[in-house]
Each structure stands twice: as C-alpha cells, then as structure tokens.
Amino acid sequence: MGRGLQKRLQTEAGSCGVFSNLAAASTCTISTAEFLLPRTVSKPANNLPLPRVIVAEDHPVCLLVLEDQLKGIGGCEVVLCENGADALRALESGPAALLLTDLSLPGIEGLALARRIRTGKAGQVAPDLPIVAITATAGPEERLACLEAGIGMVLTKPVSYETLQSVLGRYLGKDDQYDQYDQYDQYDQ
C-alpha cells in the first residue's frame, strides 16, 4: 500500500496501519470512523410535500450510502428500491421529482426502466421525469446507451456527497445556478 493512500485513509476513514515483513505477507488494518454528514433537512414553509426521489440500487451497501447522503442533504423524501420492478411500482404510486438508478438491476434493468418511462409505458409516470444513472461501469458504450434511453446524466460510483448535492440542486431546483441547465450539455460527472 502506498504511503499516500495510507495517509488519506487515516485522514478520511479513521486509522490505517501496515505491518510488512519481507519473509511473510504484509498485513493491513483499517479502522473506519462513522461518517457524520451534515443534517440540513429543510421542510417547505408552505407545508407542501417534499419532492420524492426514487433510488433504484440492488447493492445493499450502495443503497444505504445513497440513503444516508440524500437524507443528509435533505429537502426530499427518499424512496428506496432494490430492483427495477420495485422502482416502477414506487414511480407509479405517486409523483416523483427524480429517479436515481443503477443500470444493472435485477428484473427490469435501469436502461429498460428509463425506456419505459420515456415512451410512456410506465403507467402514470411523467415521461419527462429526470433520470440519473449511478453505475460502476460508465464506459463510452454505457454512456451512449444511457443517452439513447433518455437518461440525462451518468455518475460513476462511488458518488460523493458534494456531487449528489449538486445533482439534487440541479434537478430539484434547490440551486438557482442550474435553472437554465440543459441535461445533455454536461452529460458526464
């Protein structure tokens, strides 16, 4: 393990120790600290419901991290879904402001989910619903497939708190600087 990575882990994650012996394998121990995100939950003054953000992610750790980040940012209702079918049901159960979806979901994959929404084959779901893909594989082919399916933005895992905050600002209107944003001008983050 490089010294720079060890120092970063100690700063960001808690502690990191490395014991190396030329006659045996090296041992690395990492002790993580609990990350405390700022809680800036804001309730609308007019008692209107918070905008719903549907999160479709099949990996339990990624789902928990996204939930924690979104709740830390605040200002939205977070609906968690472990597969595409659950996401579709959540979208059909009431208006949503944003869909964050993994591409490799069990059952209905993220691209198929986006296509259904864009072509009006997702029940009462608004065809212009903002869709953001969050994926570990974001090569040129995947990005093109996302664009063709109507996905407005592709983020690569892991997604930082600041990036997610920016995405919410852009799509939920929480930040005036994104009012004139065209979702295809800045297709990558």
Side-chain angles (χ1 to χ4, degrees):
M1 174 183 299
R3 190 78 178 132
L5 178 58
Q6 180 181 359
K7 188 170 187 161
R8 182 173 175 199
L9 283 169
Q10 287 174 328
T11 303
E12 296 178 10
S15 65
C16 177
V18 178
F19 175 76
S20 187
N21 181 342
L22 293 177
S26 297
T27 303
C28 175
T29 57
I30 300 173
S31 172
T32 59
E34 183 177 336
F35 292 101
L36 299 175
L37 298 175
R39 301 293 177 184
T40 58
V41 177
S42 57
K43 300 275 185 188
N46 55 12
N47 288 328
L48 292 175
L50 293 172
R52 290 176 69 224
V53 175
I54 309 297
V55 181
E57 171 61 66
D58 63 323
H59 192 282
V61 173
C62 293
L63 193 62
L64 288 173
V65 168
L66 285 168
E67 177 187 28
D68 192 48
Q69 289 175 319
L70 289 166
K71 287 183 175 179
I73 294 165
C76 62
E77 174 191 347
V78 181
V79 180
L80 304 176
C81 305
E82 296 177 353
N83 58 58
D86 287 348
L88 189 55
R89 280 190 289 279
L91 288 163
E92 291 173 341
S93 73
L98 177 64
L99 170 62
L100 302 174
T101 184
D102 188 10
L103 295 181
S104 302
L105 294 171
I108 303 170
E109 293 185 337
L111 290 173
L113 183 60
R115 283 189 206 102
R116 281 190 186 188
I117 292 167
R118 294 296 181 241
T119 59
K121 296 178 182 171
Q124 297 299 315
V125 180
D128 61 346
L129 173 73
I131 304 172
V132 175
I134 299 178
T135 183
T137 56
E141 297 84 18
E142 290 86 4
R143 291 179 185 283
L144 180 59
C146 287
L147 182 63
E148 290 171 348
I151 294 174
M153 181 182 289
V154 176
L155 303 176
T156 306
K157 293 177 186 175
V159 177
S160 73
Y161 180 86
E162 293 78 16
T163 298
L164 198 54
Q165 190 172 34
S166 176
V167 168
L168 287 184
R170 181 172 294 154
Y171 289 111
L172 302 185
K174 296 176 74 167
D175 190 340
D176 292 340
Q177 84 181 49
Y178 298 113
D179 285 347
Q180 302 300 316
Y181 178 74
D182 179 348
Q183 63 185 1
Y184 296 107
D185 283 349
Q186 304 273 334
Y187 190 67
D188 182 4
Q189 283 217 345

